[in-house]
Amino acid sequence: NANLLFFDPNLSLKNNMNFKGLVIARDYYLSKDLEKKLRNKIPKSYKILSIYEWSLLILQRLPNLVIYKKSFIKRIKKLESKKLELGIKRIGDIFFSFILILLTFPIVFLAILFIKLEDNGPIFYSQIRTGLNFKKIRIWKLRTMYTNSEEGEAKWATKDDKRITKIGKILRKTRIDELPQLLSIIIGDMSLIGPRPERPEFDEFLKKEIPNYSLRYTIKPGLSGWAQVNYNYGSSIKDAEKKLSYDLFYLSQFSIWIDLLIFFKTINLVINGRGSEPNKLT
């Protein structure tokens, strides 16, 4: 097991059983002087990591308690200098979105037919979501809830939600209901990969409750993201904070390669029907 100078129960462990070394809690980045001193006192096979590096390597997410905001903001501002990768990402968004529209058109057509047959209500449902730099964007989904079920105060979907139609349960499980958002990707409001766009009503609340929440909108929101392929559908503040830790990991590690990894992981999730059910409300 890992020999930790620091351990917090809020940092749930993942794939750490083979890790041997020291985690230095007080340092965001491990100084060379400290590493040199420690290296002489522990086995050569042991790793010496800062808590930030350990979170990247072992958790593959960045909980708020390991984030030093000023240093982290400087790190993610480097995204602005990755013009080539962002350009390739945009080209890939357009290309793969058109391909997915062509491949899934028969499935979407059948879904539209069943939506109409179930209750003869509207086929599509639109919502205002938060986009890059908190710009308001409109997204479209195939309707999965009964008509007028979201009148009044906005609420998270919950497990066994009575507002969801029979066909809606299937569409959500397979994520077919999200496919109309491919049009939002083509026009540039969204990307295939990025933090999921949230409703402004929730954003205003979550910004007050969760430190660093606003950082997730420093890149275009996505149809899928690192949080979506690693964590179930969120339905509480606790879920939102956990998902943010995955979004912060994505921001810190952004590259074309991690986008491709998330893309293929998403396909695997859709095929296996996993990750679409909300966690129990807490």
Side-chain angles (χ1 to χ4, degrees):
N1 289 335
N3 296 308
L4 303 179
L5 296 185
F6 169 90
F7 177 73
D8 188 300
N10 292 319
L11 294 179
S12 57
L13 304 183
K14 176 184 178 182
N15 301 328
N16 74 314
M17 295 308 292
N18 295 321
F19 175 77
K20 292 182 179 180
L22 292 171
V23 177
I24 312 303
R26 64 181 181 272
D27 294 321
Y28 184 64
Y29 293 109
L30 185 63
S31 69
K32 290 183 179 179
D33 288 340
L34 178 59
E35 183 176 5
K36 188 176 181 180
K37 289 177 183 178
L38 292 172
R39 182 55 65 194
N40 295 325
K41 297 179 180 180
I42 64 173
K44 290 183 179 180
S45 60
Y46 276 35
K47 294 179 182 291
I48 304 175
L49 302 174
S50 70
I51 189 66
Y52 179 85
E53 293 168 328
W54 179 80
S55 296
L56 289 176
L57 179 67
I58 305 300
L59 299 182
Q60 296 187 328
R61 61 187 185 89
L62 291 173
N64 267 314
L65 60 89
V66 307
I67 296 292
Y68 288 73
K69 192 170 183 179
K70 288 184 180 179
S71 299
F72 189 74
I73 288 175
K74 286 181 182 178
R75 188 181 185 90
I76 62 174
K77 274 191 173 180
K78 291 180 180 179
L79 284 173
E80 298 172 3
S81 65
K82 294 187 175 183
K83 293 182 178 179
L84 178 60
E85 285 189 283
L86 289 171
I88 294 172
K89 179 179 174 73
R90 177 64 184 143
I91 292 169
D93 282 342
I94 296 170
F95 175 77
F96 285 111
S97 292
F98 274 117
I99 295 296
L100 287 170
I101 287 171
L102 291 173
L103 290 176
T104 60
F105 179 77
I107 298 171
V108 172
F109 180 79
L110 283 174
I112 288 171
L113 182 62
F114 283 115
I115 290 169
K116 206 66 183 172
L117 286 173
E118 181 166 354
D119 63 5
N120 200 35
I123 295 166
F124 297 101
Y125 174 71
S126 73
Q127 276 185 342
I128 298 297
R129 295 286 178 102
T130 307
L132 176 66
N133 296 322
F134 286 91
K135 174 188 173 184
K136 299 296 186 293
I137 61 174
R138 182 176 291 277
I139 67 165
W140 293 85
K141 292 184 175 188
L142 293 173
R143 182 175 60 85
T144 59
M145 290 186 176
Y146 291 105
T147 307
N148 301 323
S149 62
E150 286 215 317
E151 286 186 343
E153 186 180 355
K155 294 188 294 184
W156 274 304
T158 58
K159 196 173 181 66
D160 300 320
D161 198 319
K162 302 299 182 184
R163 297 173 298 167
I164 301 174
T165 62
K166 292 177 182 177
I167 184 63
K169 290 177 182 178
I170 298 171
L171 297 181
R172 285 187 172 221
K173 189 172 181 63
T174 57
R175 307 193 189 193
I176 292 170
D177 63 313
E178 307 280 2
L179 289 174
Q181 289 168 60
L182 291 170
L183 297 175
S184 296
I185 295 169
I186 290 171
I187 66 176
D189 284 344
M190 291 176 58
S191 174
L192 277 172
I193 306 300
R196 280 294 294 158
E198 190 53 89
R199 296 170 69 173
E201 305 96 307
F202 293 144
D203 279 323
E204 290 304 314
F205 173 67
L206 294 172
K207 278 194 292 184
K208 297 174 184 176
E209 297 291 325
I210 304 174
N212 301 318
Y213 181 81
S214 298
L215 295 179
R216 68 195 305 274
Y217 290 112
T218 56
I219 196 168
K220 278 185 185 178
L223 185 62
S224 184
W226 189 241
Q228 280 62 49
V229 298
N230 284 286
Y231 197 73
N232 285 344
Y233 188 96
S235 59
S236 67
I237 297 173
K238 184 179 177 181
D239 287 336
E241 186 166 15
K242 190 76 170 282
K243 293 182 83 169
L244 174 66
S245 69
Y246 287 106
D247 290 334
L248 294 178
F249 175 92
Y250 173 75
L251 286 170
S252 72
Q253 302 299 301
F254 168 72
S255 70
I256 296 302
W257 305 114
I258 195 169
D259 273 23
L260 285 172
L261 174 63
I262 294 169
F263 181 77
F264 289 115
K265 277 180 170 288
T266 302
I267 292 173
N268 183 56
L269 283 179
V270 171
I271 290 172
N272 290 290
R274 292 188 288 111
S276 59
E277 285 289 325
N279 293 314
K280 289 183 179 179
L281 198 57
T282 55

